[in-house]
């Protein structure tokens, strides 16, 4: 089977993936810029190696004895391709060709400043990596992770998503797909587009949140300009407003307005509904 190296291990998707790999008793180790903090987050039994995409001196020790890599770049960062390319070059030199890359659905529709997923996908193909590319839709967990304060304190969801729809996906389902592709054969060279089971607008999501929380949540449907202004007034750097607007415009523009069967194809299980995730995430 071979030993797996997990990047992004301490994040939303990494933690979910680790649990799936533990269930499968897979042989893996994880990388983090702060191994001590990572052991705190993940538990002391997880083997954590010092790893930073931005510091090539960390690559050799981190990748010692590794056969395949789960590659996830950080969010809300520009030029992720420049950050990750030296690591891909290192993998090539070492003859480590099996890579499961975490991209995003409609990444090619997010504009020139966010073209990094597309560039990395292209590099994996051009450099003959033995790749699987995962392209998930919007995470169901974004509501908890990025919008808790708006939802719980202001009674709104506030993203410039227009009236378009997305197949919000549970990160547990993404992790189940990732774990399968890392531990079984037949998933390369392949690209999986990962969605939940239903297409929902932000209005629909607000209605589901209202039901789950037992209080009214509304969707003011901000324009990108209104959204950016609110973010800037709250002290966020300008590029964050631009970044999120470009991402959420893929919903407004109907670029992610479709469902796929790829979760069920890979895992044999139907994906989880947004409502089930919100009940789980917002349970008191
Ligand atoms: N949110 C969505 O709806 C959505 C949808 C589709 C795709 N995506 C994609 O999902 C990815 C983000 O996933 P996530 O939400 O699971 O991330 P996350 O929770 O924010 O975690 C980010 C991880 O990146 C690691 N990291 C940050 N800088 C690093 C560096 N220089 N070197 C090595 N590791 C570094 C962090 O590890 P340490 O701090 O331990 O080093 C952390 O584990 C992005 O690529 C985004 O484009 C998001």
């Amino acid at each position: 089977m071979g030993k797996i190296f997990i990047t992004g291990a301490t994040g939303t998707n990494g933690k979910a993936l680790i649990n799936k790999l533990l269930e499968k008793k897979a042989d893996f180790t994880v990388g983090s810029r702060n191994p001590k903090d990572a052991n705190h987050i993940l538990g002391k039994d997880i083997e954590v190696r010092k790893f930073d995409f931005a510091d090539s001196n960390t690559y050799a020790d981190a990748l010692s004895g590794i056969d395949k890599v789960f590659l996830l770049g950080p969010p809300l960062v520009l030029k992720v391709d420049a950050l990750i390319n030296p690591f891909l070059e290192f993998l090539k030199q070492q003859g480590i060709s099996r890579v499961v890359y975490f991209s995003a659905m409609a990444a090619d529709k997010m504009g020139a400043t966010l073209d990094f997923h597309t560039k990395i996908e292209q590099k994996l193909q051009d450099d003959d990596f033995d790749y699987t590319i995962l392209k998930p839709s919007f995470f169901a967990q974004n509501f908890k992770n990025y919008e808790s304060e708006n939802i719980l304190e202001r009674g709104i969801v506030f993203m410039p998503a227009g009236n378009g729809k997305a197949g919000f996906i549970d990160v547990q389902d993404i992790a189940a797909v990732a774990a399968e592709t890392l531990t079984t054969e037949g998933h390369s060279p392949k690209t999986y587009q990962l969605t939940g089971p239903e297409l929902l607008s932000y209005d629909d999501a607000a209605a589901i949140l209202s039901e789950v929380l037992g209080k009214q949540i509304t969707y003011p449907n901000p324009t990108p300009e209104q959204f950016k202004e609110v973010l800037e007034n709250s002290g966020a750097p300008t590029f964050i407003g631009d970044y999120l607007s470009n991402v959420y415009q893929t919903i407004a523009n109907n670029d992610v307005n479709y469902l796929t069967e790829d979760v069920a194809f890979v895992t044999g299980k139907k994906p989880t509904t947004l409502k089930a995730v919100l009940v789980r995430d917002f349970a008191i």
Side-chain angles (χ1 to χ4, degrees):
M1 247 164 75
K3 190 164 178 124
I4 309 161
F5 183 69
I6 310 292
T7 66
T10 56
T12 304
N13 286 276
K15 284 185 289 188
L17 174 58
I18 286 168
N19 285 332
K20 303 285 180 202
L21 292 175
L22 286 171
E23 281 167 22
K24 286 179 174 290
K25 301 195 190 315
D27 186 13
F28 71 94
T29 184
V30 315
S32 170
R33 291 166 299 173
N34 302 296
K36 224 174 162 180
D37 294 352
N39 271 126
H40 201 68
I41 295 167
L42 303 171
K44 60 178 173 31
D45 295 338
I46 301 293
E47 185 199 355
V48 183
R49 298 179 183 177
K50 166 92 180 157
F51 176 74
D52 186 344
F53 287 121
D55 180 2
S56 57
N57 292 321
T58 63
Y59 296 172
D61 285 350
L63 273 291
S64 163
I66 295 297
D67 304 290
K68 39 193 164 179
V69 173
F70 175 75
L71 183 61
L72 180 145
L76 301 174
V77 171
L78 299 173
K79 299 193 170 61
V80 180
D81 53 321
L83 180 68
I84 280 180
N85 277 348
F87 180 57
L88 286 174
E89 289 299 324
F90 173 84
L91 293 179
K92 230 168 44 177
Q93 269 170 26
Q94 299 299 307
I96 301 171
S97 65
R98 179 78 184 112
V99 172
V100 175
Y101 178 60
F102 200 100
S103 177
M105 183 177 259
D108 57 330
K109 304 278 178 20
M110 292 177 187
T113 52
L114 298 185
D115 61 358
F116 48 83
H117 280 312
T118 308
K119 285 183 172 162
I120 294 165
E121 289 176 29
Q122 194 62 51
K123 184 171 174 63
L124 290 168
Q125 292 167 30
D126 292 346
D127 290 3
D128 289 328
F129 277 91
D130 182 20
Y131 66 84
T132 308
I133 295 167
L134 307 180
K135 292 172 81 73
S137 186
F138 286 75
F139 307 158
Q141 276 77 1
N142 288 350
F143 292 99
K144 176 70 187 259
N145 292 349
Y146 294 133
E147 295 226 65
S148 273
E149 208 177 301
N150 276 335
I151 292 166
L152 298 175
E153 290 174 21
R154 302 182 189 98
I156 56 170
V157 280
F158 196 76
M159 289 291 186
N163 296 313
K165 294 188 176 189
F168 296 97
I169 181 163
D170 183 0
V171 299
Q172 297 295 335
D173 290 332
I174 306 174
V177 171
E180 203 61 31
T181 61
L182 286 162
T183 56
T184 60
E185 299 296 318
H187 300 290
S188 65
K190 278 195 176 163
T191 298
Y192 293 124
Q193 303 210 55
L194 306 175
T195 71
E198 56 202 343
L199 283 172
L200 299 167
S201 67
Y202 254 62
D203 254 339
D204 298 331
I208 296 170
L209 277 161
S210 303
E211 196 188 331
V212 168
L213 293 171
K215 67 171 202 167
Q216 199 183 16
I217 309 296
T218 58
Y219 173 50
N221 197 348
T223 64
E225 288 66 35
Q226 288 165 335
F227 174 77
K228 286 189 243 184
E229 197 184 325
V230 168
L231 234 67
E232 248 184 285
N233 289 343
S234 74
T238 309
F239 90 92
I240 298 279
D242 288 334
Y243 182 116
L244 288 172
S245 285
N246 285 337
V247 169
Y248 278 85
Q249 281 302 287
T250 62
I251 300 183
N253 294 337
N254 288 317
D255 294 325
V256 291
N257 187 1
Y258 57 95
L259 299 176
T260 74
E261 298 291 325
D262 287 0
V263 169
F265 174 75
V266 177
T267 66
K269 289 189 192 133
K270 282 199 159 136
T272 314
T273 62
L274 177 62
K275 183 176 173 184
V277 175
L278 295 177
V279 167
R280 193 203 298 148
D281 278 3
F282 285 93
I284 300 163

